[in-house]
Amino acid sequence: DAKTTQPPSMDCAEGRAANLPCNHSTISGNEYVYWYRQIHSQGPQYIIHGLKNNETNEMASLIITEDRKSSTLILPHATLRDTAVYYCIVRVRTYNTDKLIFGTGTRLQVFP
Amino acid sequence: DVKVTQSSRYLVKRTGEKVFLECVQDMDHENMFWYRQDPGLGLRLIYFSYDVKMKEKGDIPEGYSVSREKKERFSLILESASTNQTSMYLCASSAVLDTGKVFTEAFFGQGTRLTVV
């Protein structure tokens, strides 16, 4: 199964863009990249996902490189409430199974 | 709103006890998952189920078993609890990809913090 690699921690000033990188060099053609975040004491919360194309929603943008070996989650205007652990995940889909493989995540600290 | 409900938020059990962690989802999801979360190790998949009575081992199944008798309920069983199973346990559910459903992301419960003494 494809694994992901993320930096353990990052800082970002409030109001600036937070760019969180993820390496998934062994990803297969049918595996999706998902991003979740976990605020202390809560279950992980879905942010965005993509297969090959860049994606944007009301929370974030996801940029996937053309070779699909890495991606970047962009929070365009970080706020203090975005302080959390961010997980980049590969979703493995076979003919009868469908599972999320988590890594260790990036702890994002947004400071005033 | 999707609800994934775990039966207990906090649990304290003794070594050697049989422990049941229950998870219920109300979205008619096919997939259900059990993870454990430990500091510095992220979320690790213990077991998952893609249909009633169907299950597959995740990365760390040793010391655990699961049961899925009904679609909405997925139970994690610690046959004989040990102190190294002290952890946060998270249940999740999702619809299967490529079935035409709009929301296929996994939804998580709030977690059960289990302490084995």
Side-chain angles (χ1 to χ4, degrees):
Chain A
D1 293 338
K3 296 284 191 281
T4 61
T5 305
Q6 299 174 255
S9 63
M10 292 182 67
D11 290 337
C12 179
E14 190 177 19
R16 306 297 290 264
N19 297 296
L20 291 91
C22 180
N23 182 293
H24 32 79
S25 57
T26 60
I27 196 169
S28 299
N30 63 344
E31 292 173 347
Y32 287 74
V33 178
Y34 274 68
W35 282 82
Y36 280 74
R37 73 179 183 185
Q38 187 175 26
I39 295 168
H40 185 60
S41 299
Q42 298 182 18
Q45 174 194 21
Y46 167 80
I47 303 173
I48 198 167
H49 74 278
L51 183 62
K52 315 186 219 196
N53 300 321
N54 298 338
E55 302 287 344
T56 295
N57 63 20
E58 65 278 2
M59 287 181 74
S61 295
L62 174 60
I63 309 297
I64 302 175
T65 56
E66 197 168 332
D67 63 7
R68 302 188 70 237
K69 292 184 187 296
S70 65
S71 61
T72 301
L73 177 76
I74 301 171
L75 308 178
H77 305 287
T79 71
L80 297 178
R81 283 182 289 186
D82 292 323
T83 292
V85 178
Y86 288 77
Y87 292 98
C88 167
I89 296 146
V90 170
R91 186 165 184 173
V92 179
R93 175 87 164 97
T94 62
Y95 75 99
N96 70 342
T97 63
D98 179 6
K99 57 182 179 179
L100 296 169
I101 310 295
F102 280 76
T104 53
T106 295
R107 182 171 297 279
L108 175 69
Q109 179 69 51
V110 180
F111 57 91
Chain B
D1 269 1
V2 172
K3 291 252 182 335
V4 178
T5 305
Q6 295 183 228
S7 53
S8 304
R9 194 75 200 268
Y10 299 94
L11 214 49
V12 180
K13 295 291 181 181
R14 294 195 181 281
T15 302
E17 273 194 79
K18 189 168 186 175
V19 181
F20 293 86
L21 302 184
E22 306 285 349
C23 176
V24 177
Q25 51 96 2
D26 65 0
M27 274 294 284
D28 198 37
H29 283 164
E30 295 82 7
N31 298 325
M32 294 190 77
F33 310 85
W34 275 106
Y35 293 87
R36 66 176 280 177
Q37 184 171 32
D38 301 287
L41 297 177
L43 277 77
R44 293 180 291 166
L45 182 63
I46 305 172
Y47 268 97
F48 66 100
S49 168
Y50 50 93
D51 203 348
V52 175
K53 297 192 191 291
M54 306 303 284
K55 60 188 179 189
E56 283 207 15
K57 294 179 181 179
D59 297 323
I60 50 163
E62 296 79 20
Y64 303 94
S65 62
V66 290
S67 171
R68 190 155 180 214
E69 297 296 317
K70 293 186 178 180
K71 193 174 185 181
E72 67 271 19
R73 187 180 295 270
F74 192 35
S75 303
L76 180 70
I77 303 154
L78 287 67
E79 296 290 341
S80 177
S82 64
T83 54
N84 62 14
Q85 292 178 309
T86 291
S87 186
M88 169 71 86
Y89 290 87
L90 287 156
C91 174
S93 74
S94 77
V96 174
L97 284 173
D98 309 326
T99 56
K101 293 188 181 176
V102 175
F103 299 109
T104 58
E105 66 267 31
F107 294 86
F108 283 81
Q110 288 293 88
T112 296
R113 185 165 293 283
L114 172 68
T115 302
V116 182
V117 297

